[in-house]
PDB file of all heavy atoms in Angstrom:
ATOM      1  N   VAL K  19      20.087 -22.044   0.553  1.00 74.00           N
ATOM      2  CA  VAL K  19      20.363 -20.743   1.198  1.00 74.00           C
ATOM      3  C   VAL K  19      20.465 -19.654   0.150  1.00 74.00           C
ATOM      4  O   VAL K  19      19.931 -18.543   0.308  1.00 74.00           O
ATOM      5  CB  VAL K  19      21.672 -20.823   2.023  1.00 74.00           C
ATOM      6  CG1 VAL K  19      22.072 -19.440   2.500  1.00 74.00           C
ATOM      7  CG2 VAL K  19      21.506 -21.762   3.196  1.00 74.00           C
ATOM      8  N   MET K  20      21.137 -19.995  -0.966  1.00 72.00           N
ATOM      9  CA  MET K  20      21.298 -19.020  -2.049  1.00 72.00           C
ATOM     10  C   MET K  20      19.945 -18.596  -2.601  1.00 72.00           C
ATOM     11  O   MET K  20      19.671 -17.416  -2.813  1.00 72.00           O
ATOM     12  CB  MET K  20      22.153 -19.663  -3.159  1.00 72.00           C
ATOM     13  CG  MET K  20      22.781 -18.675  -4.092  1.00 72.00           C
ATOM     14  SD  MET K  20      23.830 -17.506  -3.234  1.00 72.00           S
ATOM     15  CE  MET K  20      23.882 -16.225  -4.437  1.00 72.00           C
ATOM     16  N   ALA K  21      19.108 -19.620  -2.819  1.00 68.00           N
ATOM     17  CA  ALA K  21      17.782 -19.324  -3.384  1.00 68.00           C
ATOM     18  C   ALA K  21      17.000 -18.434  -2.443  1.00 68.00           C
ATOM     19  O   ALA K  21      16.339 -17.477  -2.849  1.00 68.00           O
ATOM     20  CB  ALA K  21      17.028 -20.635  -3.641  1.00 68.00           C
ATOM     21  N   PHE K  22      17.092 -18.734  -1.143  1.00 67.00           N
ATOM     22  CA  PHE K  22      16.373 -17.923  -0.163  1.00 67.00           C
ATOM     23  C   PHE K  22      16.872 -16.488  -0.178  1.00 67.00           C
ATOM     24  O   PHE K  22      16.095 -15.538  -0.144  1.00 67.00           O
ATOM     25  CB  PHE K  22      16.545 -18.537   1.236  1.00 67.00           C
ATOM     26  CG  PHE K  22      15.973 -17.680   2.312  1.00 67.00           C
ATOM     27  CD1 PHE K  22      14.603 -17.609   2.527  1.00 67.00           C
ATOM     28  CD2 PHE K  22      16.803 -16.890   3.108  1.00 67.00           C
ATOM     29  CE1 PHE K  22      14.066 -16.802   3.513  1.00 67.00           C
ATOM     30  CE2 PHE K  22      16.270 -16.082   4.102  1.00 67.00           C
ATOM     31  CZ  PHE K  22      14.910 -16.039   4.308  1.00 67.00           C
ATOM     32  N   LEU K  23      18.202 -16.322  -0.250  1.00 65.00           N
ATOM     33  CA  LEU K  23      18.762 -14.961  -0.255  1.00 65.00           C
ATOM     34  C   LEU K  23      18.325 -14.190  -1.489  1.00 65.00           C
ATOM     35  O   LEU K  23      17.999 -13.010  -1.417  1.00 65.00           O
ATOM     36  CB  LEU K  23      20.288 -15.031  -0.192  1.00 65.00           C
ATOM     37  CG  LEU K  23      20.872 -15.361   1.186  1.00 65.00           C
ATOM     38  CD1 LEU K  23      22.385 -15.548   1.079  1.00 65.00           C
ATOM     39  CD2 LEU K  23      20.563 -14.262   2.185  1.00 65.00           C
ATOM     40  N   LEU K  24      18.319 -14.912  -2.627  1.00 62.00           N
ATOM     41  CA  LEU K  24      17.907 -14.236  -3.864  1.00 62.00           C
ATOM     42  C   LEU K  24      16.452 -13.803  -3.786  1.00 62.00           C
ATOM     43  O   LEU K  24      16.095 -12.698  -4.177  1.00 62.00           O
ATOM     44  CB  LEU K  24      18.120 -15.162  -5.066  1.00 62.00           C
ATOM     45  CG  LEU K  24      19.568 -15.289  -5.546  1.00 62.00           C
ATOM     46  CD1 LEU K  24      19.692 -16.387  -6.582  1.00 62.00           C
ATOM     47  CD2 LEU K  24      20.065 -13.978  -6.130  1.00 62.00           C
ATOM     48  N   LEU K  25      15.615 -14.700  -3.260  1.00 61.00           N
ATOM     49  CA  LEU K  25      14.197 -14.349  -3.156  1.00 61.00           C
ATOM     50  C   LEU K  25      13.992 -13.195  -2.194  1.00 61.00           C
ATOM     51  O   LEU K  25      13.134 -12.335  -2.393  1.00 61.00           O
ATOM     52  CB  LEU K  25      13.394 -15.572  -2.687  1.00 61.00           C
ATOM     53  CG  LEU K  25      13.064 -16.593  -3.767  1.00 61.00           C
ATOM     54  CD1 LEU K  25      12.460 -17.846  -3.156  1.00 61.00           C
ATOM     55  CD2 LEU K  25      12.097 -15.996  -4.777  1.00 61.00           C
ATOM     56  N   ALA K  26      14.800 -13.183  -1.132  1.00 55.00           N
ATOM     57  CA  ALA K  26      14.639 -12.112  -0.146  1.00 55.00           C
ATOM     58  C   ALA K  26      14.995 -10.763  -0.749  1.00 55.00           C
ATOM     59  O   ALA K  26      14.466  -9.735  -0.322  1.00 55.00           O
ATOM     60  CB  ALA K  26      15.512 -12.401   1.078  1.00 55.00           C
ATOM     61  N   CYS K  27      15.912 -10.778  -1.737  1.00 52.00           N
ATOM     62  CA  CYS K  27      16.321  -9.508  -2.333  1.00 52.00           C
ATOM     63  C   CYS K  27      15.462  -9.132  -3.524  1.00 52.00           C
ATOM     64  O   CYS K  27      15.619  -8.051  -4.064  1.00 52.00           O
ATOM     65  CB  CYS K  27      17.774  -9.566  -2.820  1.00 52.00           C
ATOM     66  SG  CYS K  27      18.906 -10.045  -1.546  1.00 52.00           S
ATOM     67  N   ALA K  28      14.600 -10.016  -3.947  1.00 50.00           N
ATOM     68  CA  ALA K  28      13.840  -9.768  -5.175  1.00 50.00           C
ATOM     69  C   ALA K  28      12.915  -8.577  -4.982  1.00 50.00           C
ATOM     70  O   ALA K  28      12.263  -8.431  -3.959  1.00 50.00           O
ATOM     71  CB  ALA K  28      13.035 -11.005  -5.557  1.00 50.00           C
ATOM     72  N   ALA K  29      12.865  -7.724  -5.970  1.00 43.00           N
ATOM     73  CA  ALA K  29      11.967  -6.567  -5.903  1.00 43.00           C
ATOM     74  C   ALA K  29      11.286  -6.429  -7.258  1.00 43.00           C
ATOM     75  O   ALA K  29      11.854  -6.807  -8.269  1.00 43.00           O
ATOM     76  CB  ALA K  29      12.760  -5.300  -5.584  1.00 43.00           C
ATOM     77  N   PRO K  30      10.083  -5.924  -7.295  1.00 42.00           N
ATOM     78  CA  PRO K  30       9.412  -5.787  -8.590  1.00 42.00           C
ATOM     79  C   PRO K  30      10.154  -4.809  -9.487  1.00 42.00           C
ATOM     80  O   PRO K  30      10.699  -3.823  -9.018  1.00 42.00           O
ATOM     81  CB  PRO K  30       8.024  -5.239  -8.232  1.00 42.00           C
ATOM     82  CG  PRO K  30       8.160  -4.669  -6.885  1.00 42.00           C
ATOM     83  CD  PRO K  30       9.243  -5.419  -6.199  1.00 42.00           C
ATOM     84  N   ALA K  31      10.168  -5.097 -10.798  1.00 42.00           N
ATOM     85  CA  ALA K  31      10.912  -4.254 -11.723  1.00 42.00           C
ATOM     86  C   ALA K  31      10.217  -2.912 -11.898  1.00 42.00           C
ATOM     87  O   ALA K  31      10.853  -1.889 -12.045  1.00 42.00           O
ATOM     88  CB  ALA K  31      11.041  -4.947 -13.079  1.00 42.00           C
TER      89      ALA K  31
END
Side-chain angles (χ1 to χ4, degrees):
Chain K
V19 171
M20 200 58 200
F22 173 76
L23 284 174
L24 283 171
L25 280 171
C27 305

